[in-house]
């Protein structure tokens, strides 16, 4: 999870939204300085380093996802690395790893207090709600705050939680992750200074319960008892193969399989011979964008991802460029798409499916269904493919020494005396990114 998050964050430093956030954040200065990923000489105050690096992680919607729905790593790792670098004494790799796990644990437990949280969201973006709590918990752990201070850190963080789904198909969506990383870190630092919040924030309907109508918290098993299990012991992670909303990965795999069936029968793929394309997908308004005009809309469009996969027989980072979005062949195929939402297709990353049916001008039909895409927790990426994804992403801004050094540093993290080696590799940029 750490390696994938760093990879998508590094390639995310090439995006427009990241560079706008960096430009904005450079007006803030302090004696404490933390590195900006992919920028060998640029530092910012820790909260703003967490902010811009968190934006980078989600700038292409390329970061990990789990069930109940959220992006667990993006709000936590940028906060921890920014904080660790600025601490008087560098924490060990094991300290960093434990704090990261605490940040994930808090998110996982809060999400499981609601059945509503299990579905694809309808009102707000989950990382903006649970991500800021995870960042606060992880930062509090790394700072070594007392139990009482940790309680106040979570209470403070809860007052910075929330972001509407209306911004999810815009450049503002990556700010949800950046804000969660920054605000959680700030909450822990404020609690360390003695700022207090409501210690019952997680137990109240007017506290964290405002976000979920069926919020029903329960007391967790004490870690000292035999019944305690970490969330990650039972929780799988979805790692994305291309930079788009998780739901798109089902429809792309189905589209590729449907195209293969057509080619297997007629020998080639001719878009002009397609009369209609039917997508059977779960109901979700914000990922139903018939004619996307921007990359952020395209990353949230069942129609775009299905048609791009059909035309190109592939999906990759470059599929979301302006040239690819605006090509006439794609627009012609998009006009032939019909979307259906069968009653049995539940809007949940654990239960949903996608089906793509191609009907030709001759009346022939070729359909394929995807219940579990490659990269889903039921069908995880191989370690080799995970490394290949990281290398492809990280090499856009890091030298080969930086890429391979980061892999080694993460792989040996629990045995590293401090986090400095990881940070040093993240500064080894290629000449063009200096």
């Amino acid at each position: 999870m750490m390696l994938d998050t760093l990879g998508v964050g590094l390639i995310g430093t090439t995006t427009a939204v990241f560079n706008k956030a960096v430009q904005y954040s450079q007006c803030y200065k302090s004696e404490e300085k933390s590195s900006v990923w992919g920028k060998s000489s640029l530092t910012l105050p820790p909260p703003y380093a967490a902010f811009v690096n968190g934006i980078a992680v989600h700038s292409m919607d390329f970061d990990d996802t789990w069930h109940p729905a959220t992006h667990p790593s993006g709000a936590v790792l940028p906060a921890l690395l920014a904080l660790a670098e600025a601490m008087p004494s560098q924490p060990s790799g094991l300290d960093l790893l434990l704090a990261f796990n605490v940040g994930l644990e808090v998110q996982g437990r809060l999400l499981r207090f609601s059945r509503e949280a299990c579905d694809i969201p309808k009102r707000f973006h989950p990382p903006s709600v649970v991500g800021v709590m995870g960042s606060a918990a992880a930062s509090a752990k790394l700072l070594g705050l007392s139990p009482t201070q940790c309680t106040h850190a979570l209470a403070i963080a809860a007052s910075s939680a929330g972001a509407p789904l209306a911004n999810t198909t815009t450049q503002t969506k990556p700010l949800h992750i950046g804000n969660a990383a920054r605000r959680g870190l700030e909450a822990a630092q404020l609690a360390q200074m003695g700022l207090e919040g409501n210690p019952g924030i997680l137990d109240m309907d007017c506290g964290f319960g405002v976000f979920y109508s069926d919020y029903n918290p329960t007391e967790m098993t004490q870690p000292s008892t035999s019944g305690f299990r970490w969330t990650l012991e039972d929780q799988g992670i979805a790692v994305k193969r291309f930079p788009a909303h998780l739901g798109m990965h089902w429809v792309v795999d189905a589209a590729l399989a449907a195209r293969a069936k057509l080619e297997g029968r007629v020998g080639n793929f001719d878009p002009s011979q397609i009369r209609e394309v039917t997508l059977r997908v779960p109901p979700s308004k914000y990922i139903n964008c018939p004619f996307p005009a921007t990359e952020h809309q395209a990353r949230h469009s069942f129609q775009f991802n299905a048609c791009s996969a059909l035309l190109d027989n592939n999906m990759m980072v470059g599929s979301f460029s302006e040239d690819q979005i605006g090509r006439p062949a794609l627009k012609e195929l998009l006009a032939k798409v019909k979307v259906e939402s069968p009653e049995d297709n539940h809007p949940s990353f654990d239960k949903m499916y996608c089906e793509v049916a191609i009907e030709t001008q001759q009346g022939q039909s070729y359909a394929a269904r995807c219940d579990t895409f490659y990269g889903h927790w039921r069908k995880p990426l191989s370690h080799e493919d995970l490394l290949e994804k990281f290398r492809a992403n990280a090499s856009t801004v890091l030298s080969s020494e930086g890429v391979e050094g980061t892999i080694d540093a993460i792989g040996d993290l629990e045995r590293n005396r401090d986090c400095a080696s990881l940070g040093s590799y993240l500064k080894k940029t290629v000449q063009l990114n200096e």
Side-chain angles (χ1 to χ4, degrees):
M1 293 172 73
M2 285 182 164
L3 192 68
D4 186 63
T5 301
L6 288 172
V8 299
L10 287 164
I11 193 173
T13 65
T14 65
T15 62
V17 62
F18 169 80
N19 286 306
K20 290 174 183 176
V22 169
Q23 183 180 357
Y24 161 75
S25 299
Q26 283 180 283
C27 68
Y28 296 93
K29 301 187 183 300
S30 75
E31 294 182 2
E32 292 184 332
K33 297 179 180 180
S34 298
S35 299
V36 176
W37 297 352
K39 305 289 184 181
S40 61
S41 59
L42 180 60
T43 60
L44 291 169
Y48 285 92
F51 174 64
V52 298
N53 292 335
I55 287 173
V57 168
H58 200 59
S59 63
M60 302 172 74
D61 217 314
F62 213 177
D63 44 329
D64 59 22
T65 310
W66 68 5
H67 176 78
T70 195
H71 302 282
S73 300
V76 176
L77 189 59
L80 288 177
L81 291 182
L83 179 60
E85 187 175 359
M87 292 174 69
S89 177
Q90 283 270 295
S92 69
L94 187 59
D95 289 337
L96 181 72
L97 194 60
L98 181 56
F100 180 71
N101 197 20
V102 166
L104 302 179
E105 184 74 14
V106 166
Q107 294 179 75
R109 289 185 177 273
L110 289 175
L111 286 166
R112 281 163 177 77
F113 292 156
S114 165
R115 292 187 302 274
E116 177 188 342
C118 293
D119 292 344
I120 295 175
K122 298 178 180 178
R123 296 178 293 114
F124 58 82
H125 194 206
S128 70
V129 172
V130 295
V132 68
M133 306 299 283
S135 173
S139 299
K141 177 62 179 174
L142 199 64
L143 287 169
L145 301 192
S146 70
T148 298
Q149 289 174 316
C150 290
T151 298
H152 290 308
L154 291 173
I156 297 165
S159 283
S160 295
L165 277 179
N167 274 327
T168 52
T169 57
T170 73
Q171 282 189 327
T172 297
K173 187 187 181 188
L175 269 66
H176 299 172
I177 298 289
N179 281 330
R182 170 194 164 194
R183 296 297 191 184
L185 171 53
E186 289 176 336
Q189 290 179 320
L190 287 167
Q192 187 180 39
M193 295 172 62
L195 189 70
E196 297 180 351
N198 191 322
I201 197 80
L202 299 183
D203 303 319
M204 305 167 67
D205 289 340
C206 62
F208 198 78
V210 301
F211 298 107
Y212 297 100
S213 59
D214 61 348
Y215 183 68
N216 184 28
T218 57
E219 187 173 352
M220 67 182 291
T221 304
Q222 292 300 314
S224 58
T225 66
S226 60
F228 180 83
R229 289 179 64 84
W230 289 91
T231 295
L232 279 184
E233 293 186 70
D234 305 302
Q235 174 71 58
I237 305 297
V239 176
K240 299 178 179 180
R241 307 194 316 277
F242 54 90
H245 182 277
L246 194 70
M248 305 304 111
H249 291 66
W250 276 272
V251 79
V252 164
D253 278 14
L256 294 174
R259 173 180 165 135
K261 287 184 178 181
L262 187 154
E263 287 184 308
R265 179 64 63 88
V266 302
N268 69 315
F269 181 82
D270 183 357
S272 67
Q273 293 302 305
I274 295 177
R275 189 182 74 81
E276 187 174 73
V277 177
T278 301
L279 309 182
R280 299 184 180 96
V281 297
S284 182
K285 292 181 180 179
Y286 89 98
I287 48 177
N288 180 8
C289 186
F291 296 98
T294 68
E295 61 168 301
H296 296 283
Q297 291 176 349
R299 298 185 200 281
H300 297 79
S301 169
F302 278 127
Q303 296 90 333
F304 173 86
N305 285 270
C307 290
S308 291
L310 288 174
L311 286 176
D312 304 331
N313 202 28
N314 199 1
M315 285 298 286
M316 58 189 75
V317 170
S319 299
F320 301 90
S321 69
E322 186 176 326
D323 290 343
Q324 292 295 95
I325 294 171
R327 51 186 167 153
L330 178 65
K331 292 182 177 179
E332 290 176 11
L333 191 55
L334 284 171
K336 299 177 181 179
V337 174
K338 178 179 68 173
V339 175
E340 298 177 354
S341 295
E343 290 186 4
D344 69 338
N345 202 349
H346 193 76
S348 159
F349 293 146
D350 200 44
K351 299 177 181 178
M352 65 176 280
Y353 67 86
C354 288
E355 188 172 87
V356 176
I358 306 170
E359 186 175 336
T360 67
Q361 301 289 2
Q362 293 75 34
Q364 297 170 315
S365 182
Y366 304 90
R369 169 170 163 160
C370 176
D371 293 291
T372 305
F373 66 86
Y374 181 48
H376 190 277
W377 47 86
R378 291 193 298 266
K379 194 177 180 181
L381 290 186
S382 67
H383 185 65
E384 291 73 18
D385 285 346
L386 182 68
L387 289 177
E388 182 179 349
K389 177 188 173 182
F390 174 79
R391 289 189 173 105
N393 287 335
S395 63
T396 58
V397 294
L398 293 188
S399 66
S400 58
E401 182 184 359
V403 172
E404 297 306 317
T406 301
I407 292 173
D408 291 341
I410 291 293
D412 203 37
L413 190 61
E414 67 270 28
R415 287 175 287 277
N416 287 346
R417 290 186 176 181
D418 60 51
C419 308
S421 61
L422 174 59
S424 67
Y425 288 121
L426 293 174
K427 296 178 182 178
K428 295 184 180 297
T429 57
V430 294
Q431 189 67 34
L432 292 177
N433 211 51
E434 293 289 342

